[in-house]
Amino acid sequence: MKRYEPRMVLFLSGLILCTIAWAPIEAFLGFSKAIKAAPVIETIAGSMAFAYVMQYTKCDAHLVHLLSSGLTKLGPKLLIPGAIFITAFVHMSVPSAAGCVASVGPVLIPILKGAGVHPVMAATILFAGTFGATMLHPGFHQNVIISEATHRTPVDIVGNHFYIVLIVGAVVIVGVTLVAYYLKEQSGYVDESMKEEFQVDILKALSPLVPLLLILLGSMNIIPALKVLKIAYAMIIGAMVLCVVTRTGPGEITKAFFKGFGEGFQSIYGIIICSGVFVAGLTTCGLLKVMIDFMKTNPDLARLTGSFGPFVLDVICGSGDGA
């Protein structure tokens, strides 16, 4: 609310805690330790890099238009659930919630408004579509971070919460639809603007799904030869496919890729690094050990705080990855 920079808050909090413990150098050592976590950097920055290539080549727009073309045929009763589902599906390929809404919004918002949905409800529908869909993607940053911590594969992590995500998604869809009808915002809005014509290229629309397909085929042992592919490698191959399909200059694709790579490092991994400094502060001053010892003697409380603790930290950080 006060617009504090989350990275600044996390870094300074860790530094202050280390200073209180008369060991300020531990904060900087925590900073270095977090930067050296190369496997996580590789995956996070690689995924963001591919998202930037998708946006640059406009392949994300083709995917969105392909999905939304069937949305208008669903009828008013299925329009809201369909729009949430489409947003969620696109979000699986575009890991950034902001990037997903930027891709989906220019297409779905005019369709929803044209069907009489109130603009605020249309925005809510897109926002609801970004709740948890990426958890079904093995290459999603948070799945990778958890897999690193638990020494399980990203596919194992996805399989563990697969049905939970579907159930939560169904609850969100039903809830938003009921609220729209209760507020009478599902119809009646008059919008004179027309969405621009867009010619969908099927090949361009399906190309963004290549990395996800490669990861699943290898991880599920359908094509054993693909098991050696790291998530970042799949993203690079996906970028190459987009280059060929869209006939974009390789130099421009490379620029877009590394622009996204840098964005992934500064916006996502930057928070993870500063979270590492905060954890170093908690560890150095002894608070982390006290909390862990308390959890060991109160396992039921540990299960509860295991869910709510990261949620609170997520609100503070402004990033699920940081939490």
Side-chain angles (χ1 to χ4, degrees):
M1 288 164 58
K2 294 187 177 182
R3 299 184 180 180
Y4 291 149
E5 221 297 317
R7 288 166 293 192
M8 177 197 73
V9 173
L10 288 166
F11 187 94
L12 291 180
S13 298
L15 181 59
I16 290 170
L17 287 171
C18 289
T19 303
I20 291 173
W22 296 100
I25 190 64
E26 291 297 327
F28 298 104
L29 294 176
F31 183 84
S32 298
K33 181 181 177 181
I35 290 179
K36 292 176 182 176
V40 184
I41 295 176
E42 196 176 313
T43 302
I44 291 174
S47 299
M48 188 65 80
F50 179 70
Y52 263 61
V53 173
M54 273 196 298
Q55 293 173 10
Y56 182 80
T57 58
K58 302 292 191 295
C59 284
D60 58 343
H62 285 271
L63 175 61
V64 172
H65 278 85
L66 176 66
L67 294 172
S68 61
S69 61
L71 184 62
T72 54
K73 302 174 184 177
L74 290 177
K77 291 185 179 179
L78 295 177
L79 189 64
I80 293 175
I84 296 175
F85 178 80
I86 287 175
T87 305
F89 187 81
V90 172
H91 193 24
M92 286 180 62
S93 298
V94 183
S96 165
C100 172
V101 173
S103 302
V104 175
V107 181
L108 290 189
I109 292 292
I111 292 175
L112 292 167
K113 287 166 63 180
V117 178
H118 192 281
V120 175
M121 181 51 64
T124 302
I125 289 167
L126 264 63
F127 188 56
T130 63
F131 284 177
T134 44
M135 291 177 69
L136 300 181
H137 193 319
F140 181 49
H141 329 314
Q142 294 174 23
N143 287 329
V144 174
I145 292 170
I146 293 170
S147 72
E148 291 282 332
T150 57
H151 305 293
R152 302 292 297 273
T153 68
V155 173
D156 289 337
I157 303 301
V158 171
N160 189 60
H161 59 232
F162 181 80
Y163 293 108
I164 297 173
V165 172
L166 294 184
I167 292 170
V168 172
V171 171
V172 169
I173 288 174
V174 172
V176 172
T177 303
L178 290 176
V179 169
Y181 275 84
Y182 177 77
L183 298 176
K184 295 182 172 57
E185 293 183 348
Q186 87 287 358
S187 63
Y189 179 79
V190 179
D191 181 38
E192 302 298 334
S193 64
M194 298 290 291
K195 70 177 190 301
E196 63 174 304
E197 293 297 321
F198 190 94
Q199 191 66 36
V200 176
D201 184 312
I202 296 295
L203 203 55
K204 291 180 180 179
L206 297 178
S207 295
L209 302 178
V210 168
L212 175 60
L213 183 63
L214 290 174
I215 293 168
L216 291 177
L217 289 176
S219 300
M220 298 176 72
N221 210 30
I222 297 173
I223 302 180
L226 294 178
K227 291 187 73 173
V228 298
L229 276 183
K230 289 186 178 181
I231 291 166
Y233 302 165
M235 299 301 171
I236 294 172
I237 293 172
M240 292 177 176
V241 170
L242 294 184
C243 178
V244 174
V245 168
T246 61
R247 300 178 185 176
T248 306
E252 298 304 313
I253 292 290
T254 303
K255 289 179 184 177
F257 186 89
F258 281 101
K259 183 178 181 181
F261 198 93
E263 175 64 24
F265 187 90
Q266 74 90 12
S267 65
I268 299 174
Y269 200 73
I271 291 181
I272 295 175
I273 291 172
C274 293
S275 295
V277 176
F278 181 58
V279 170
L282 292 175
T283 305
T284 304
C285 73
L287 185 57
L288 190 62
K289 185 179 185 304
V290 171
M291 289 192 293
I292 291 175
D293 289 342
F294 180 74
M295 295 301 173
K296 285 180 180 178
T297 56
N298 297 273
D300 292 333
L301 185 61
R303 294 189 188 96
L304 185 66
T305 54
S307 294
F308 287 97
F311 171 78
V312 173
L313 191 58
D314 190 7
V315 173
I316 295 170
C317 295
S319 165
D321 300 281

